[in-house]
């Protein structure tokens, strides 16, 4: 179970780190990639930077507290915050009518819930 939680945590952190690209890539270029990226046009550059900053902090909060053994309870707390972030992403996609592109956000939401449940419940750090 611990290994599965670490894998899910690593996947989430990687996805969050990759998605911080919206902080440096112009939103017009992201939107030009395809239908899945058009949502960025609904947000100002400042809002995209704020979302990217939250994602960067979340990636760090999922990994660093456990690896450094400094306040490891922050890992499941961060996982709950990541679940809320992806719940917001799912809501945004539903409002935009992007039913096809919602699948990935639902998977990430499920991973975040799994990590939160596993680290608060059966496999907390520090036994």
């Amino acid at each position: 179970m611990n290994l599965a939680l670490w894998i899910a945590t690593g996947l989430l952190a990687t996805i969050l780190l990759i998605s911080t690209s919206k902080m440096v890539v112009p939103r017009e270029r992201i939107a030009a990639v395809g239908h899945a990226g058009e949502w960025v046009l609904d947000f100002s550059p400042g809002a995209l930077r704020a979302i990217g900053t939250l994602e960067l902090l979340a990636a760090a909060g999922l990994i660093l507290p456990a690896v450094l053994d400094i306040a490891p309870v922050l890992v499941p707390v961060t996982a709950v915050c990541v679940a809320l972030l992806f719940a917001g992403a799912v809501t945004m996609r539903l409002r935009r009518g992007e039913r096809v592109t919602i699948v990935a956000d639902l998977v990430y939401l499920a991973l975040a819930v799994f990590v939160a449940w596993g680290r608060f419940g059966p496999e907390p750090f520090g036994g």
Side-chain angles (χ1 to χ4, degrees), residues 46-119:
L48 292 175
R49 276 191 301 277
I51 294 168
T53 301
L54 289 174
E55 291 169 341
L56 184 62
L57 291 171
L62 285 171
I63 302 293
L64 292 180
V67 170
L68 299 175
D69 197 26
I70 299 173
V73 72
L74 291 177
V75 173
V77 171
T78 302
V80 169
C81 294
V82 170
L84 292 173
L85 180 76
F86 282 113
V90 166
T91 302
M92 183 264 313
R93 295 223 188 257
L94 284 173
R95 287 183 178 169
R96 288 183 49 86
E98 298 177 359
R99 307 230 186 268
V100 174
T101 58
I102 202 170
V103 175
D105 291 329
L106 288 171
V107 170
Y108 305 146
L109 173 62
L111 280 173
V113 168
F114 173 67
V115 171
W117 167 80
R119 291 304 181 197

Side-chain angles (χ1 to χ4, degrees), residues 16 19-25 27 39-40 43-59 81 85:
L16 289 165
S19 68
T20 61
S21 65
K22 70 178 75 59
M23 291 171 43
V24 293
V25 177
R27 62 189 191 143
W39 68 271
V40 297
F43 293 88
S44 70
L48 292 175
R49 276 191 301 277
I51 294 168
T53 301
L54 289 174
E55 291 169 341
L56 184 62
L57 291 171
C81 294
L85 180 76

